Amino acid sequence: MAYQYFLVDRPIPYVAHVQINRPSKLNAFFEAMWLEFKTVFDTLSHDPEIRAIILSGAGDRAFTAGLDVQAASQEGILQQQDGKTQDVARKAVGIKRHVEEFQNCISSVEKCEKPVICVMHGFSLGLGMDISTCADIRICSADTKFAVKEVDIGLAADIGTLTRLPKVVGSFSWVKEVSLSARVFGAEEAYRVGYVSQVLETKEKAIQAALKMAELIATKSPVAVQGTKELLNHARDHTVADSLRYTGVWNSAAIQTSDVERAMLSGLKKTKPRFEKL
């Protein structure tokens, strides 16, 4: 499909590459973009021809600079209607609905059945953090500049960073430091705290590393890969006992797949297994 704000291609079999495509504005988002973003990932989630997804930003300057504040102010969710003062409760309900819709659009990366590898370069600010914390794997180029920017525009981040970032990295003190200060941090620091798993010299090398990773994942059983993503995400948000129980129920069905036999036989025969689409 052709999209207005995203480029989607299939560089190798079973792998999709999604690029945020508004480089003249540092790939900054406004409402039409995040609505289309959800459409892109919902479509790929159910596409049997896709087993892994790479997400990056078009252009040389930014993965995304975050929210296009000028466009957001013109879209009017915080403006009074017809110059009249709105009832506070009704205005609050409208804002809540807007935020929930926005959250659901960005969460489509996390909810996508396929693993998503996020490749960041240049500026990755504000919403860039929200998006990347939804991804399964994060890598970046050495020039990447990160920031949880929302306190600098007078609000607490509300699209996912404050919820997910503490579960992504090991230091809650560090999470609070960067979230409260909105300071910029670089690729080396992001790697040190575990926010990214690889730092490559350039954007091009980071994309190549992501392609190699996605190609490897795409050779595995899609039943196993999609199940692993589901179970890891469940484990992050639940107790050990709940997750063990959920895993048992999940695999009581999934273990009956023919992929188990194919994978085991290929190991014994030293051959490359081929798995049906899912």
Side-chain angles (χ1 to χ4, degrees):
M1 293 180 64
Y3 297 99
Q4 187 172 358
Y5 301 110
F6 299 90
L7 300 175
V8 182
D9 67 341
R10 303 184 182 194
I12 52 179
Y14 296 115
V15 173
H17 184 191
V18 178
Q19 297 181 71
I20 307 167
N21 187 34
R22 198 180 177 222
S24 63
K25 297 291 186 179
L26 298 180
N27 294 324
F29 276 70
F30 59 100
E31 187 169 9
M33 284 182 71
W34 66 69
L35 292 172
E36 188 173 74
F37 185 80
K38 184 177 189 300
T39 299
V40 170
F41 277 91
D42 287 354
T43 300
L44 293 174
S45 180
H46 295 156
D47 188 340
E49 298 290 341
I50 299 301
R51 297 183 181 179
I53 302 166
I54 297 167
L55 172 62
S56 68
D60 298 327
R61 299 172 63 195
F63 170 63
T64 173
L67 183 67
D68 185 330
V69 178
Q70 182 178 5
S73 65
Q74 293 171 354
E75 285 166 351
I77 188 64
L78 298 177
Q79 293 177 349
Q80 294 180 352
Q81 299 294 319
D82 301 322
K84 299 178 181 178
T85 301
Q86 287 183 272
D87 177 79
V88 173
R90 287 171 173 80
K91 186 174 182 180
V93 169
I95 294 171
K96 182 175 73 71
R97 288 171 178 167
H98 181 78
V99 171
E100 287 176 349
E101 180 183 56
F102 195 174
Q103 290 172 337
N104 287 335
C105 289
I106 301 307
S107 293
S108 62
V109 171
E110 183 176 74
K111 294 175 182 177
C112 180
E113 294 176 355
K114 317 299 168 58
V116 179
I117 304 166
C118 185
V119 181
M120 293 165 284
H121 75 286
F123 294 109
S124 183
L125 311 176
L127 189 59
M129 298 288 292
D130 295 314
I131 292 170
S132 58
T133 54
C134 289
D136 302 290
I137 300 166
R138 287 167 295 279
I139 67 176
C140 71
S141 60
D143 69 342
T144 310
K145 294 178 176 62
F146 303 91
V148 184
K149 259 328 239 185
E150 282 78 359
V151 296
D152 277 349
I153 58 170
L155 53 84
D158 56 3
I159 308 301
T161 294
L162 300 186
T163 304
R164 295 184 175 98
L165 188 58
K167 299 179 179 182
V168 167
V169 303
S171 172
F172 203 26
S173 174
W174 181 86
V175 171
K176 287 190 173 184
E177 178 198 337
V178 297
S179 300
L180 293 168
S181 67
R183 72 169 177 84
V184 175
F185 60 96
E188 182 181 348
E189 185 174 355
Y191 179 75
R192 176 169 52 81
V193 299
Y195 186 64
V196 298
S197 54
Q198 291 186 49
V199 178
L200 286 301
E201 185 179 351
T202 64
K203 174 190 174 182
E204 291 72 23
K205 289 182 178 179
I207 294 291
Q208 288 304 311
L211 282 168
K212 185 176 180 180
M213 194 183 308
E215 184 177 30
L216 177 61
I217 291 170
T219 66
K220 311 299 182 182
S221 158
V223 173
V225 168
Q226 292 178 35
T228 297
K229 173 171 178 171
E230 172 70 19
L231 294 173
L232 283 170
N233 284 349
H234 184 277
R236 179 197 61 194
D237 298 332
H238 295 79
T239 66
V240 172
D242 286 344
S243 294
L244 288 171
R245 187 177 302 110
Y246 184 66
T247 300
V249 173
W250 183 277
N251 266 1
S252 66
I255 203 169
Q256 298 182 60
T257 177
S258 61
D259 290 9
V260 173
E261 182 181 1
R262 293 182 185 188
M264 288 184 172
L265 286 175
S266 69
L268 293 172
K269 296 179 179 179
K270 309 296 183 184
T271 58
K272 185 176 180 180
R274 296 176 62 88
F275 301 105
E276 295 179 12
K277 298 172 184 178
L278 178 62

